[in-house]
């Protein structure tokens, strides 16, 4: 390791004197990161199938990517999360999605059992296993036990959810102590991880620090990352649940009193106390940070710093495309846009795009070879086929059903080019509304011979399918109701892998202007639908014209490469957390230097 920091932009983010003082303060408070004083990242969900943990969606993908980015850039980093002994997979039968439970054994994924720690629940001692897996300068530490259940089991606000969250916070904090680790910073990836910061506050106070000093200290070292828009949508816990699951784990009466005072009508939302305990707060795109509507206990609107989600380009970009970016000096060796990346994108010719897309299609065919569509068909595509995809969780605001509102028009568009439309997206367990919507789409499709063979639903959406589709399809469709997507990262995988993007102007897509992709806008849904169909026709014609293809793909990359680069995201977090402290070291692995 060389000592020269990779990113050293002194006071880059300083806009006024308050910011300056804040940066100086932060520098004083926060010593350098080290293996014993790592950046700690707390998350109830990580999407990391290679390491045995399947998540639910973007929040988990972000967590897994953040750890890998820290590994690539030499940042001492520890991610603390549950290991769920059960996970849910989905199959499709007669147009209906069915959940299947699968047991997962951490021994099969290279974790080492460290020891057990105890938390208290309802007068019982609950032993939790602490397991860990190391990856160079980073590690994943998990807490688990055989009855921990699956991710997002039961309702939010239920006892079991609170148990899982308390286990992660108090159990995870005890695990760090067991391993001799002191957090330099605690990043809370959403409020389900609040109890980690509470465990720290409790420890400081019970070790003799003045309570108010302990609050200040904890606040200065805690970053709350918000992914949600509306505080009111969050489930509440009641006082009796805290009596049973939370208070038994507190040693300090002052901390207990502090918490009790935060209840309103015997109810509490974790966001309101997370805001109290975290002075640093971020939202996951520019738009989201601006519109997230949160109030602190005093009733003041909370400010969020925008740190737009990026992705680990090493993981999500097809290897040949990534190699091309590096050879052409579009990306540097840690996947940050090179100084001359805009000029160098000229090397990405239509021929090159088609050549890479052909390789991507092989990857997609490989992925689909074990995943039949709703009719039990195994799909395989040639380079001449045209593919649209819609791949994202099946939730209302993402509007999976929108393209099917006018079946005659949709059929006409697909028929003209003999194009295919692939849908992939998990339905949250128990979401009957979305199950019904999918069932209706597929029923209507089935009545038409052409549509039935050109619209495909692939069940059990996961990382592999997300990757395969982004490598192999031509055009991705992303049409959330404007204002409701926090960031989204599926579209970032599409940009990296040379797909055209059709999108509404929302989430991270809206970080730059709407001229940079095939934008869908309208003052009502009907207008948006008309626009969507127009864009689909346009996307088909772009792929048949070398000049247009080159121009649009290059334009997307010019605008979005700095945004989708996860290295940029990590750098933004580090700048926000530590001001100008120099520690972001160049990653100097032998294999990268070779
Ligand atoms: C990338 C990815 C996501 C993120 O989805 P968005 O809808 O774009 O937030 C979710 N699930 C899986 C499996 C992914 O790979």
């Amino acid at each position: 390791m060389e000592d020269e920091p990779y990113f050293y932009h002194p006071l880059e983010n300083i806009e006024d004197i308050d910011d300056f003082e804040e940066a100086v303060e932060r520098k004083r408070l926060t010593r350098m990161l080290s293996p014993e004083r790592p950046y700690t990242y707390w998350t109830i969900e990580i999407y990391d199938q290679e390491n045995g943990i399947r998540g639910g969606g973007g929040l988990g993908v972000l967590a897994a990517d953040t750890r890998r980015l820290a590994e690539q850039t030499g940042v001492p980093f520890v991610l603390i999360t549950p290991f769920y002994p059960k996970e849910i997979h989905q199959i499709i039968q007669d147009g209906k999605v069915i959940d299947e439970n699968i047991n997962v054994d951490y021994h099969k994924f290279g974790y080492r059992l460290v020891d057990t720690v105890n938390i208290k629940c309802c007068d019982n001692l609950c032993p939790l296993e602490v397991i860990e897996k190391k990856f160079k300068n980073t590690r994943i530490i998990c807490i688990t036990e055989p009855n921990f259940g699956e991710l997002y089991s039961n309702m939010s606000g239920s006892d079991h959810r609170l148990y899982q969250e308390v286990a992660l916070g108090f159990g995870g904090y005890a695990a760090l102590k067991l391993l001799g680790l002191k957090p330099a910073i605690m990043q809370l990836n959403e409020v389900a991880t609040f109890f980690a910061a509470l465990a720290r506050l409790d420890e400081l106070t019970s070790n003799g620090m003045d309570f108010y000093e302990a609050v200040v200290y904890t606040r200065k070292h805690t970053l709350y990352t918000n992914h949600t828009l509306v505080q009111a949508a969050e489930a509440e816990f009641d006082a009796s649940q805290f009596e049973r699951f939370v208070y038994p784990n507190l040693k300090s009466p002052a901390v207990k009193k502090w918490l009790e005072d935060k209840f309103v009508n015997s109810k509490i939302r974790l966001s309101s106390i997370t805001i109290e305990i975290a002075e640093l707060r971020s939202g996951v795109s520019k738009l989201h940070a601006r519109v997230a509507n949160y109030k602190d206990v005093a009733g003041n609107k909370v400010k969020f710093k925008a740190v737009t989600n990026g992705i680990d380009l090493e993981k999500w970009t097809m290897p040949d495309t990534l190699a091309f970016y590096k050879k052409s000096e579009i990306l540097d060796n840690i996947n940050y846009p090179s100084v001359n990346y805009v000029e160098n994108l000229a090397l990405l010719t239509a021929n090159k795009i088609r050549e890479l897309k052909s390789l991507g299609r092989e990857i997609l065919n490989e992925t689909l070879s074990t995943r039949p569509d709703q009719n039990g068909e195994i799909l395989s595509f040639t380079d001449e086929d045209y593919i649209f995809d819609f791949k994202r969780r099946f939730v209302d605001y993402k509007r999976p059903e929108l393209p099917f509102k006018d079946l005659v028009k949709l059929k006409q568009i697909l028929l003209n080019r003999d194009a295919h439309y692939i849908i992939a997206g998990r339905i949250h367990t128990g979401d009957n509304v979305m199950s019904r919507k999918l069932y209706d789409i597929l029923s209507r499709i089935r009545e038409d011979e052409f549509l039935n063979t050109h619209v495909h639903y692939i069940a059990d959406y996961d990382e592999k399918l997300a990757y395969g589709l982004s490598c192999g399809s031509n055009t991705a469709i992303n049409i959330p109701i404007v204002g409701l997507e926090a960031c989204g990262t599926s579209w970032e995988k599409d940009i990296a892998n040379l797909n055209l993007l059709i999108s509404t102007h929302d989430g991270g897509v809206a970080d730059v202007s709407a001229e940079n992709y095939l934008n869908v806008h309208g003052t009502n849904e009907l207008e948006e639908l008309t626009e969507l169909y127009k864009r689909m026709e346009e996307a088909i014609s772009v792929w048949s014209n070398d000049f247009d293809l080159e121009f649009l793909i290059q334009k997307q990359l010019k605008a979005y490469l700095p945004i989708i680069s996860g290295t940029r995201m990590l750098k933004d977090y580090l700048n926000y957390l530590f001001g100008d402290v120099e520690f972001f070291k160049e990653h100097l692995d032998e294999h990268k230097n070779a």
Side-chain angles (χ1 to χ4, degrees), residues 247-260:
Y247 300 151
N249 293 294
L250 293 176
K251 294 183 287 276
S252 157
V255 173
K256 180 168 181 241
K257 174 80 176 52
W258 175 82
L259 255 188
E260 281 170 337

Side-chain angles (χ1 to χ4, degrees), residues 47 57-58 61 316 392 398 461-463 466 485 488-490 493:
Y47 213 131
V61 171
W316 292 106
R392 44 200 24 91
K398 292 183 191 263
Y461 179 49
D462 66 354
E463 286 169 277
E485 184 68 85
T489 50
S490 305
K493 299 163 196 168

